[in-house]
Amino acid sequence: MYFEEGGTYHVYNRSNEVLFRSRENYLFFLRKVRELVLPYAHVLSYCLMPNHFHFILKIKQEGIQCFENKRVDQLQYIAKAIGTLQSSYTQALNKQIGRRGNLFAHKVKAKSLTHTDNDYALNCFMYIHQNPKLAELVNKIEDWEFSSFPDFIGKRNGTLINKQLALEVFQLESSQIYGLACQMLQDKMDEDFL
């Protein structure tokens, strides 16, 4: 995928098995995001689930730059960083549990939210945070540790996300997020029930 400077993207991938086997695995992955992805993109939101991950990224100017690579004509720094994130995590988990081979089921997917209507982008933002509740991993959205939702509602003061930029991109006020997330979740659960 070709990333645009200033573009907002939903970046995600999954595994056919458990990706994160312990709290330390989740934390290691987030440290790698900080090290590899933050130089090239702002993290607007994220959620790590036992077998998949979601991020919404806003690409910095540094991220669209390309470097010379004999195998690929033009590979952007952000694309390489995301690939390295997955590769380094796979290598670490393989070593930890004595497994071999690919961990992720597919190449990472990146869907542009830049040229969509704001409702779609907002739904994506909320869906990412609602994942743990929908999967019945927690009773309340804010109880999932490996999501940016606790940061948005003031339960935690993490530094991985650019909260102010996210509020601007999704045209939200901090005070709206909790109620809106709960209402949208209830609407979804009601729809699924019908």
Side-chain angles (χ1 to χ4, degrees), residues 34 154 178 193:
R34 185 179 300 281
Y178 189 81
F193 182 74

Side-chain angles (χ1 to χ4, degrees), residues 4 9 13 32 42 51 66 74-75 92 106 118 148 162 185:
E4 296 177 11
Y9 296 86
N13 205 351
K32 285 296 192 182
H42 298 283
N51 70 340
C66 297
Q74 293 191 335
L75 184 62
H106 309 282
N118 193 48
S148 53
N162 185 329
L185 179 62

Side-chain angles (χ1 to χ4, degrees), residues 51 53 93-94 180:
N51 70 340
F53 66 80
L93 189 66
N94 282 353
L180 188 56

Side-chain angles (χ1 to χ4, degrees), residues 91-104:
Q91 290 172 24
L93 189 66
N94 282 353
K95 183 176 179 183
Q96 176 190 344
I97 64 173
R99 78 177 289 284
R100 303 181 110 181
N102 293 333
L103 180 60
F104 292 92

Side-chain angles (χ1 to χ4, degrees), residues 46 144-158:
Y46 70 89
W144 188 246
E145 179 181 6
F146 309 108
S147 156
S148 53
F149 193 73
D151 298 313
F152 280 103
I153 64 166
K155 184 176 179 180
R156 181 179 66 207
N157 193 22

Side-chain angles (χ1 to χ4, degrees), residues 125-153:
F125 174 80
M126 292 299 180
Y127 168 77
I128 287 171
H129 291 131
Q130 294 164 349
N131 247 250
K133 172 66 177 155
L134 291 169
E136 299 180 351
L137 296 172
V138 291
N139 290 323
K140 296 187 222 168
I141 303 170
E142 65 268 26
D143 290 342
W144 188 246
E145 179 181 6
F146 309 108
S147 156
S148 53
F149 193 73
D151 298 313
F152 280 103
I153 64 166

Side-chain angles (χ1 to χ4, degrees), residues 6-9 44 56-58 113-114 118 121-122 125 162-172:
T8 303
Y9 296 86
L44 302 184
I56 295 181
L57 304 177
K58 187 163 184 73
L113 301 176
T114 305
N118 193 48
L122 179 61
F125 174 80
N162 185 329
K163 183 178 171 181
Q164 191 55 47
L165 184 57
L167 294 173
E168 290 170 20
V169 167
F170 297 107
Q171 300 172 11
L172 291 168

